[in-house]
Amino acid sequence: MAQSRLEVKVRPEIGGGRPRQLRKQGLLPGIFYSHGEEPIPLTLDLEYIKKATGRLRENQIVNLEIDRDGKKLKKPAIVKDIQIDHLAGAVIHIDFQQIALDEKLTAMVPIIPVGEAIGVTRDGGILEHILREVEIECLPTNLPEVIEVDVSALSIGDTIHIEDIPPIDGVTVLTEPTLSIFALAAPITEEEVEPEEVEEAEGEEGEAEEEAEGEEAKTED
């Protein structure tokens, strides 16, 4: 995974409404964690981040240059967590965790399907995405952004499990191997609709018709 150099500054004041004030200035609060040391609150420039990295994402490896009173602390780190305000669609906080490039780490990596299942295109089946992340262990330089799983051979009734993921150089999968990732379900037919559901729907429709007739009668009177 490519490593970006990222310049950040120590945030001298924390708490209160200061993070909100930072965001109004186009800045972003963050924090840097290091084992056995006090966390360092950070200030990040959003425009600079976009130019330096394009877009930060979780599990991305970066070389932080932390400006503390004019002194630069160089720390390799992983983007551990990105907090998002989903209503505004904006990043509101970023957590960094120090790493050693020669020591293995564990991370949760997204799983995405590749290809179009034959059971979908030919038989009208439904591809169910059951497990969306997998835990892995590897060196930081081998950390994948995503794990792609080919689903094109899936027919109705087939399932892909963790143990079916092809080996990835330098990566050990830690998630339980028998867990299901994808399954190809049969299409839902009219015959499979529960009788109770049909009766309930018909009952509601009948009640609606009776109410409508009653309203018409009132109008005529």
Side-chain angles (χ1 to χ4, degrees):
M1 179 178 285
Q3 299 173 35
S4 301
R5 184 177 67 87
L6 196 61
E7 296 180 1
V8 298
K9 293 183 178 180
V10 172
R11 179 161 42 106
E13 298 177 334
I14 59 175
R18 295 182 182 90
R20 193 179 305 110
Q21 294 170 9
L22 283 176
R23 287 188 284 270
K24 287 182 179 179
Q25 300 170 28
L27 303 174
L28 188 66
I31 195 162
F32 172 77
Y33 295 101
S34 180
H35 182 68
E37 297 181 12
E38 286 293 319
I40 301 176
L42 304 174
T43 298
L44 302 89
D45 187 306
L46 281 174
E47 286 302 316
Y48 166 75
I49 289 177
K50 291 177 182 177
K51 292 177 181 178
T53 67
R55 180 180 66 89
L56 278 181
R57 56 192 175 275
E58 290 184 8
N59 291 339
Q60 184 172 351
I61 305 300
V62 295
N63 291 311
L64 285 184
E65 289 191 4
I66 303 174
D67 185 343
R68 173 177 267 170
D69 299 327
K71 296 181 180 179
K72 295 287 182 71
L73 305 174
K74 296 184 178 182
K75 305 285 187 179
I78 184 172
V79 180
K80 199 66 176 176
D81 183 57
I82 298 178
Q83 297 177 31
I84 298 175
D85 181 341
H86 293 285
L87 292 178
V91 177
I92 58 175
H93 195 278
I94 299 180
D95 292 359
F96 298 92
Q97 176 70 53
Q98 183 171 2
I99 59 173
L101 296 178
D102 58 351
E103 293 182 6
K104 291 184 177 182
L105 53 76
T106 59
M108 300 298 294
V109 177
I111 300 177
I112 62 172
V114 175
E116 194 163 8
I118 190 171
V120 173
T121 57
R122 183 188 63 192
D123 306 317
I126 301 170
L127 180 65
E128 298 179 340
H129 194 164
I130 301 166
L131 190 66
R132 297 186 177 271
E133 287 185 321
V134 60
E135 185 178 20
I136 66 169
E137 181 182 58
C138 63
L139 290 173
T141 50
N142 292 331
L143 183 62
E145 293 180 19
V146 298
I147 291 179
E148 297 180 344
V149 176
D150 185 3
V151 299
S152 57
L154 281 179
S155 296
I156 290 176
D158 289 344
T159 302
I160 296 178
H161 301 89
I162 290 291
E163 60 192 358
D164 299 320
I165 297 175
I168 304 171
D169 288 342
V171 174
T172 301
V173 177
L174 302 179
T175 302
E176 169 60 44
T178 60
L179 291 180
S180 301
I181 308 171
F182 297 102
L184 210 294
I188 298 175
T189 62
E190 293 182 5
E191 290 76 10
E192 292 175 339
V193 177
E194 292 292 335
E196 291 181 1
E197 294 179 5
V198 175
E199 291 174 5
E200 184 178 341
E202 291 177 348
E204 291 175 354
E205 184 178 346
E207 290 176 6
E209 290 178 355
E210 290 177 4
E211 290 178 3
E213 290 173 358
E215 291 296 327
E216 289 179 3
K218 290 180 181 178
T219 303
E220 290 175 359
D221 292 341

